[in-house]
Amino acid sequence: MSNILSTDVSNYCRKESGDVRIFDDEWEKLAKALEVPVEDIKEEKPSSIIQNNDNLTFNDSSGNYNYYCSIPNHVLDHLNDYINLLKEQNESQKKDLEKFKSGK
């Protein structure tokens, strides 16, 4: 299989174990070699979100690497407050725009 993907055996092993992404063209090559539809062998590995007491951690292994990003809860709380403020301002501006359009 590593020859089919034009890669070395160790890299193919990382692909097979899910440590390294298998690209769409590689799925097609593997499916062709196995004489099966791509849908029968392709696996999607979703990103995961882990919530603990101190922060939120994202694990995205959809690329060529695993990416971990931790966001402290106090930062998330601040961002949520800011989002809510923006929503309120947006609603207020929508009302002002309707007043303007109606000429009142």
Side-chain angles (χ1 to χ4, degrees):
M1 291 300 186
S2 63
N3 287 338
I4 292 168
L5 298 183
S6 302
T7 189
D8 57 79
V9 174
S10 64
N11 190 44
Y12 176 73
C13 288
R14 287 192 298 274
K15 288 177 180 287
E16 193 173 70
S17 67
D19 294 335
V20 176
R21 179 179 180 199
I22 300 175
F23 292 95
D24 288 339
D25 64 320
E26 294 172 325
W27 282 115
E28 291 172 16
K29 290 176 185 178
L30 293 171
K32 184 178 179 181
L34 296 169
E35 298 178 349
V36 296
V38 172
E39 298 79 29
D40 287 357
I41 62 168
K42 186 174 181 180
E43 298 175 354
E44 295 291 333
K45 189 172 182 182
S47 300
S48 61
I49 300 174
I50 303 164
Q51 175 78 49
N52 62 33
N53 292 337
D54 299 324
N55 58 36
L56 188 66
T57 302
F58 297 91
N59 173 14
D60 181 7
S61 56
S62 61
N64 287 327
Y65 53 87
N66 286 333
Y67 174 72
Y68 294 91
C69 176
S70 293
I71 302 173
N73 281 338
H74 71 277
V75 173
L76 290 173
D77 291 340
H78 178 71
L79 290 172
N80 281 326
D81 290 344
Y82 186 63
I83 289 168
N84 288 331
L85 174 65
L86 291 173
K87 286 179 179 178
E88 289 172 12
Q89 290 175 341
N90 192 32
E91 287 303 314
S92 176
Q93 289 179 350
K94 283 181 183 179
K95 289 177 185 174
D96 290 346
L97 180 60
E98 286 303 315
K99 286 180 187 175
F100 179 76
K101 285 182 178 179
S102 67
K104 294 181 181 178

